[in-house]
Amino acid sequence: DHSSNPKENSRIIIEDITPTIYFPEINPFNVRQTPEKIILAWNFERGKDKYQRQEIHEIGKITNKVFLVEGDVMTDVSVSMIGTLNLKAEELTMVDFLLIEHVPNWKTGRRYFGYSDYYDLDSLFYAINNRLSLVDSILDEHAEPLLTLPEGILDENGRVKREKLKMIEVPAGAGSDGKPEYIVWNASLESAFNEIDKLFESLFMVSEISPDALGMGKGLSDSGRALKLKIMRTIAKIARKRLYYDQAIKDVLYKAQVLAKEWKIEINGKKLTKEPVRPDIKWADGLPIDDTEQVETEAKKIDAGLTSTADAIMRIDGVDEQTAEAKAKKIQEEHQINMPTMDLGGKNPFSTPNPKEAPKK
């Protein structure tokens, strides 16, 4: 967010953009290459007129265009005609990279855009929905069973409507003992429900989501480690998706630092004087923390010399570095052992003589 004068700049804005307006110019010979031009295009209205706004991103500059849309015809109009937009035809970014970072979810080397998480699950969704719908229809159909009556009870002169009473007459000797009874149908839906269970198993397998992650697993997990072993497939999937998000977030934060320095933007009243750096991100797996297991792990790290007490306190208690160091110092003071001074038989100048011991002649 800036003006023509760099000294008047105030802030750096990081925001997400819906993929529906994202149109990069892709290199067909190398789909993994960063596009040299990215167009953001979306429609808007002013009164009865319809327009399309285009924001064209290239290295070092952003070009703004507005088109008047009339059916299938688009006419380029000046950005100044839409006064409420407050746009300039061209803006310099003063940096040598694009300001847009693409997060593809997950992808292969044959395409630039990533795949949806539901890419290979639609057929399973349809099969599960179809089977559940059929079971529901069968149960609805037989929710009100027919009533059988001995022959001759119903009046055939129209005074009783059989379809309203949902009953039928059974001739004598046709297996009826002459008393009214309901026709009960054995649905035999065991095979249908078994198929539904198999479809859900296929859904979990294809989507790489462990049933234990949704509370649908068999048996209980007595520790956090046991739960992690059960949902290993899901954790592996998260790790693959994290590769793209980790790189994108680091790039965005790095670019924000470069922009702030180039445009002399103050952050909390201070200007960036040092070189921008790519941050480190510590990701959590999202699972509930097993406190007992975590304390045991940190204690083993301290004993093995792989971490400090302050770092362990930061991870266990979730406090900042200053608070953790103060707590670690307090713990060290409480456990400090005052070793007594050794008595070397009067030869130690710091030793205290025993008053009960008689001096030697």
Side-chain angles (χ1 to χ4, degrees), residues 245-255 278-281:
Y245 281 92
D246 183 81
Q247 178 180 348
I249 293 175
K250 289 179 180 178
D251 289 344
V252 166
L253 295 178
Y254 176 79
K255 292 178 180 180
R278 287 175 61 86
D280 291 329
I281 302 177

Side-chain angles (χ1 to χ4, degrees), residues 353-361:
N354 190 347
K356 297 182 178 180
E357 183 177 357
K360 297 180 179 180
K361 294 180 180 181

Side-chain angles (χ1 to χ4, degrees), residues 21-300:
I21 67 172
Y22 176 71
F23 301 97
E25 291 189 359
I26 304 170
N27 182 358
F29 298 102
N30 183 7
V31 295
R32 288 188 176 271
Q33 178 180 339
T34 302
E36 296 182 359
K37 179 188 291 187
I38 295 176
I39 301 175
L40 304 180
W42 65 94
N43 299 329
F44 66 95
E45 296 182 1
R46 287 293 184 271
K48 296 182 179 180
D49 296 327
K50 296 181 179 180
Y51 297 91
Q52 182 178 106
R53 163 103 150 80
Q54 291 189 4
E55 191 175 283
I56 304 173
H57 287 253
E58 297 175 275
I59 295 179
K61 70 176 182 178
I62 299 175
T63 305
N64 295 304
K65 290 186 177 182
V66 178
F67 296 88
L68 176 64
V69 180
E70 296 175 322
D72 296 333
V73 180
M74 295 177 58
T75 306
D76 192 354
V77 298
S78 174
V79 294
S80 60
M81 292 181 61
I82 314 297
T84 56
L85 294 179
N86 192 23
L87 293 175
K88 295 180 180 180
E90 186 175 285
E91 296 180 277
L92 300 180
T93 63
M94 297 177 61
V95 292
D96 57 353
F97 50 75
L98 295 174
L99 300 185
I100 297 179
E101 193 70 28
H102 178 220
V103 183
N105 191 30
W106 64 277
K107 66 179 182 179
T108 63
R110 296 183 297 176
R111 54 180 287 165
Y112 174 79
F113 290 98
Y115 290 94
S116 168
D117 287 332
Y118 302 98
Y119 171 73
D120 48 2
L121 301 178
D122 289 338
S123 59
L124 288 172
F125 288 148
Y126 175 80
I128 293 174
N129 180 70
N130 179 61
R131 185 55 51 192
L132 290 174
S133 299
L134 290 176
V135 171
D136 183 68
S137 176
I138 292 172
L139 294 177
D140 286 344
E141 180 70 23
H142 298 276
E144 299 180 6
L146 293 174
L147 177 64
T148 61
L149 300 173
E151 186 177 9
I153 292 181
L154 294 180
D155 190 350
E156 297 294 342
N157 295 325
R159 289 176 296 182
V160 178
K161 293 183 179 180
R162 300 182 182 183
E163 64 275 10
K164 294 296 183 182
L165 296 177
K166 289 189 176 181
M167 61 182 66
I168 58 175
E169 289 183 341
V170 179
S176 175
D177 56 2
K179 63 180 181 180
E181 60 182 5
Y182 282 103
I183 298 179
V184 180
W185 175 73
N186 185 7
S188 299
L189 296 177
E190 290 82 4
S191 57
F193 286 113
N194 289 335
E195 182 181 1
I196 292 175
D197 292 338
K198 293 296 182 181
L199 289 173
F200 272 108
E201 290 179 5
S202 300
L203 179 64
F204 288 134
M205 180 178 62
V206 176
S207 64
E208 296 182 277
I209 296 178
S210 173
D212 294 273
L214 304 176
M216 301 174 61
K218 299 178 180 178
L220 298 177
S221 301
D222 54 0
S223 66
R225 178 178 176 81
L227 179 59
K228 288 183 180 181
L229 292 176
K230 287 185 177 181
I231 63 173
M232 191 61 67
R233 289 185 304 167
T234 305
I235 293 177
K237 179 179 181 179
I238 295 173
R240 291 196 303 271
K241 294 166 67 68
R242 187 187 300 158
L243 293 175
Y244 295 101
Y245 281 92
D246 183 81
Q247 178 180 348
I249 293 175
K250 289 179 180 178
D251 289 344
V252 166
L253 295 178
Y254 176 79
K255 292 178 180 180
Q257 297 175 61
V258 176
L259 276 174
K261 187 175 182 180
E262 291 295 329
W263 288 88
K264 299 178 175 60
I265 295 176
E266 294 185 357
I267 300 177
N268 296 329
K270 298 180 181 180
K271 293 182 180 179
L272 296 177
T273 57
K274 297 182 179 180
E275 290 298 320
V277 295
R278 287 175 61 86
D280 291 329
I281 302 177
K282 294 182 179 179
W283 295 90
D285 52 22
L287 296 176
I289 298 176
D290 189 330
D291 295 333
T292 302
E293 188 175 19
Q294 187 181 22
V295 170
E296 292 178 355
T297 302
E298 295 297 341
K300 292 179 180 178

